Amino acid sequence: VNIDELVVDERTGRVSGALATDQITGENFHIRAKSVINATGPFTDKVRRMAFDAVNKAKGVDTVKGDSDEKWDRDIVVPAGGIHVMLPDHFSPAQMGLIVPETSDGRVLFFLPWEGG
């Protein structure tokens, strides 16, 4: 499924769904929701901009790239790559996680308990 456009509730001015296309069948359909949460990971900024444009369209405001509110133009997500390594439980206190917010090479390190560890 591909989201083509976000839909705004005219009464509340909030995103209330999306117009979507099934990538296999080509069928177009409308998704309605009581609440919409942007949980799109590395695509967060793209979806934020889609929401900004949809709300402006509903208000009758023409959004031109580079002409929108600065807070919507600015990226807020910086994707990061990483790996997952499984270690024996003696590397971390029992049922407790650990974070090293900055290593010598600028990475962030997490120790998280797994399955009762």
Side-chain angles (χ1 to χ4, degrees), residues 15-60:
V15 175
S16 61
L19 300 177
T21 303
D22 183 316
Q23 294 298 96
I24 296 172
T25 67
E27 176 188 4
N28 295 315
F29 55 97
H30 185 174
I31 301 169
R32 291 178 179 84
K34 289 182 182 179
S35 180
V36 176
I37 298 171
N38 183 358
T40 56
F43 305 104
T44 296
D45 290 319
K46 180 179 179 181
V47 175
R48 284 177 52 247
R49 287 185 187 95
M50 285 177 71
F52 180 75
D53 291 343
V55 168
N56 276 342
K57 182 179 176 183
K59 291 178 180 178

